[in-house]
Amino acid sequence: MTPEHRRESPAERSAQYVIGVDFGTLSGRAVVVRVADGAELGTAVHDYRHGVMDTTLAATGAELPPEWALQVPADYVDVLRTAVPRAVREAGIDPRQVIGIGTDFTACTMVPALADGTPLNELPEYADRPHAYVKLWKHHAAQPQADRINELALAAGEKWLPRYGGLISSEWEFAKGLQLLEEDPELYHRMDHWVEAADWIVWQLTGTYVRNACTAGYKGILQDGAYPGGEFLRSLNPDFEHFARDKLAHRIGRLGECAGSLNARAAHWTGLPEGIAVAVGNVDAHVTAPAARATSPGQMVAIMGTSTCHVMNAEVLADVPGMCGVVDGGIIDGLYGYEAGQSGVGDIFAWYVDHQVPPACHEAAAAAGVGVHEHLTALAAEQPVGAHGLLALDWNGGNRSVLVDAELSGLLIGQTLTTRPEEVYRALLEATAFGTRRIVEAFDSHGVPVTEFVVAGGLKRNPLLMQVYSDVLRMPLSVIASDQGPALGSAIHAAVAAGAYEDVRAAGEAMGRVERAVYTPDERAADAYDLLYREYTQLHDHFGRGGNAVMHRLKTLRREVLREKADR
């Protein structure tokens, strides 16, 4: 089945289904979606057996250095083996009615692979080598390499640098690839392809390797049809000169295009018909835009989960400081797709609950029959804005936008001997909203206005958090009417790849779902947040723009101490 396959009539679509599979940080989920109207009929989730390896390597138990985050690619295949057939069974449909499958992934999640797609960690001689494993998006140990890329690109006047807000992240393909070369050159030279997991999983489904335009543009520095040149890469490291040509360059597939047909092996895994359409891979954030019916210029979609990614289309090409990139056709063909983000959001709330909240709060939540997050949210909601006297910086996972600095860290000021757990929790919620406002203001002030704010992701279920965002942004908040936004978006792309719709925008209008202006700003609260936001901005610039590099120094000290401990 190919994109040229005739487009079905509405009657035919009502008896046809597509599968969307969303590969997240800790698990993968599959959803069965009706082509005619986007109805979600069955869902299943599979937790990765190895989870995130950020302290020890599962194969050996060896301790990992700070800022590492690895995964095992076989865990992704297990999602296809388990979640897809379970979702089909739950939907109660005949698998023969499925016409396509689409997938999305966290980005930038990198797999070092051989020419046939075999991950290096699956070779017995490399099972004990950390660099042989997947480097998850939140692997930040390549910061020294990212710093050198930024410094040399700025000095050389590389024209692609402003497209990324003037800074390349340690999370991205080139920084991670350079780290691999410099820390384990044997593995670097054994590797044939440095593959985004979004493309690797499509490779497993079809037997064909196709790079998707989204990750290639945002994470792979592919601009105007070219990667950074060999002369620049040689200036980073002589052995890095041909990295783009030898390890990255491959056919680029447009979003919504058919990457190939489901092969026999993957059909056996999933229980789906061999030969159905497999959509080109995509990123969890960008794929969500059509699922939220937010593909027009100015509609910013915030996918709020462990982290937050902000994506938006525009008709104009502009340089916005601190964004994660702008790519022609990066979300929808014919428009420039912009991306920004916050490295830690739900992760910060989870860290606080798991490691900072006293036992009494856990006991009270259990007695009330609710989770600790719900318990703290209910207590925090009783307070007027500013009553806790606290202010936080939302940098526990570093800062992605607008500072692009993984060396930054969290901060909380205003604590007293009477500060309560729910007050700190609220301050952390508010800090992430302030970080989002900083991003929105960066776009507004550089000619790419944000006209609507649409929320997707698991955090949309927290009404206090949503109201805080509306108040802080002084904007109504629309909310995607699906709990499976990325998976629904992948299913929409599958429908286009199978030929059921002309393009992604048309499929999104038919299959996507959104509730407009669910939350509206409270004027009194918004006024109070304006005062707090001014203070946040001062802290933001003082610690984030060179006024005080104490956070950098502390991280450097920590690495040195841990390195000495490991050497001993």
Side-chain angles (χ1 to χ4, degrees), residues 74-349:
D75 289 349
Y76 309 146
V77 174
D78 286 344
V79 173
L80 300 177
R81 296 177 187 272
T82 58
V84 172
R86 277 171 35 211
V88 171
R89 287 195 298 271
E90 181 180 292
I93 66 166
D94 186 334
R96 291 174 295 181
Q97 295 175 282
V98 176
I99 63 172
I101 183 171
T103 58
D104 67 84
F105 240 99
T106 60
C108 170
T109 295
M110 302 305 300
V111 185
L114 299 179
D116 64 357
T118 301
L120 293 187
N121 75 285
E122 294 184 3
L123 303 179
E125 63 268 33
Y126 296 142
D128 62 345
R129 304 269 278 272
H131 279 291
Y133 289 81
V134 174
K135 286 185 171 64
L136 186 59
W137 64 270
K138 62 179 180 177
H139 176 92
H140 291 146
Q143 188 61 48
Q145 287 77 15
D147 290 341
R148 283 165 44 213
I149 292 172
N150 290 324
E151 291 165 6
L152 290 173
L154 182 62
E158 293 287 333
K159 66 178 183 179
W160 44 263
L161 191 61
R163 298 279 184 93
Y164 300 96
L167 291 167
I168 296 302
S169 171
S170 63
E171 297 178 5
W172 296 358
E173 293 178 15
F174 278 73
K176 287 175 174 172
L178 185 57
Q179 184 199 12
L180 171 56
L181 168 64
E182 295 180 338
E183 296 183 5
D184 199 335
E186 179 189 346
L187 287 185
Y188 177 86
H189 291 295
R190 182 71 189 276
M191 170 182 76
D192 293 305
H193 297 293
W194 189 226
V195 188
E196 282 277 359
D199 301 324
W200 185 82
I201 202 67
V202 171
W203 194 352
Q204 305 312 298
L205 289 166
T206 65
T208 302
Y209 177 29
V210 180
R211 273 182 52 86
N212 73 86
C214 187
T215 52
Y218 290 104
K219 313 302 179 185
I221 320 182
L222 180 65
Q223 290 287 347
D224 302 322
Y227 295 100
E231 182 177 348
F232 170 74
L233 299 180
R234 186 170 60 252
S235 70
L236 293 166
N237 186 307
D239 289 338
F240 206 53
E241 177 178 1
H242 302 301
F243 171 72
R245 185 193 72 185
D246 295 346
K247 308 296 186 183
L248 284 184
H250 215 76
R251 180 173 84 80
I252 304 296
R254 295 187 350 266
L255 305 182
E257 182 182 334
C258 183
S261 300
L262 193 70
N263 61 28
R265 181 181 64 166
H268 176 71
W269 289 341
T270 60
L272 300 177
E274 183 179 351
I276 64 172
V278 179
V280 165
N282 211 325
V283 180
D284 50 2
H286 305 70
V287 79
T288 302
R293 293 184 182 171
T295 56
S296 296
Q299 293 179 300
M300 176 174 279
V301 181
I303 299 84
M304 297 179 59
T306 56
S307 63
T308 293
C309 190
H310 311 77
V311 297
M312 180 174 67
N313 288 298
E315 295 174 336
V316 298
L317 177 63
D319 295 335
V320 181
M323 64 180 172
C324 299
V326 53
V327 175
D328 188 0
I331 303 172
I332 293 289
D333 271 351
L335 293 173
Y336 291 102
Y338 289 80
E339 177 190 343
Q342 292 166 272
S343 298
V345 180
D347 267 353
I348 298 176
F349 313 148

Side-chain angles (χ1 to χ4, degrees), residues 56 96 103 131 162 194 262 298 302 331 426 448 459 478 532 557:
T56 58
R96 291 174 295 181
T103 58
H131 279 291
W194 189 226
L262 193 70
I331 303 172
R426 177 165 185 144
V448 189
L459 293 181
S478 300
L532 285 173
L557 177 62

Side-chain angles (χ1 to χ4, degrees), residues 16-21 29-35 38-44 83-94 98 272 484 487-488 491 511:
Q16 294 176 332
Y17 305 90
V18 283
I19 308 292
V21 187
R29 64 190 62 241
V31 61
V32 178
V33 179
R34 189 162 55 211
V35 172
E40 299 169 29
L41 304 177
T43 302
V84 172
R86 277 171 35 211
V88 171
R89 287 195 298 271
E90 181 180 292
I93 66 166
D94 186 334
V98 176
L272 300 177
Q484 315 294 344
L488 175 58
M511 299 173 67

Side-chain angles (χ1 to χ4, degrees), residues 375-385 387 422 426 464:
H375 175 66
L376 292 174
T377 295
L379 293 176
E382 297 174 359
Q383 293 187 335
V385 178
E422 63 270 17
R426 177 165 185 144
L464 172 62

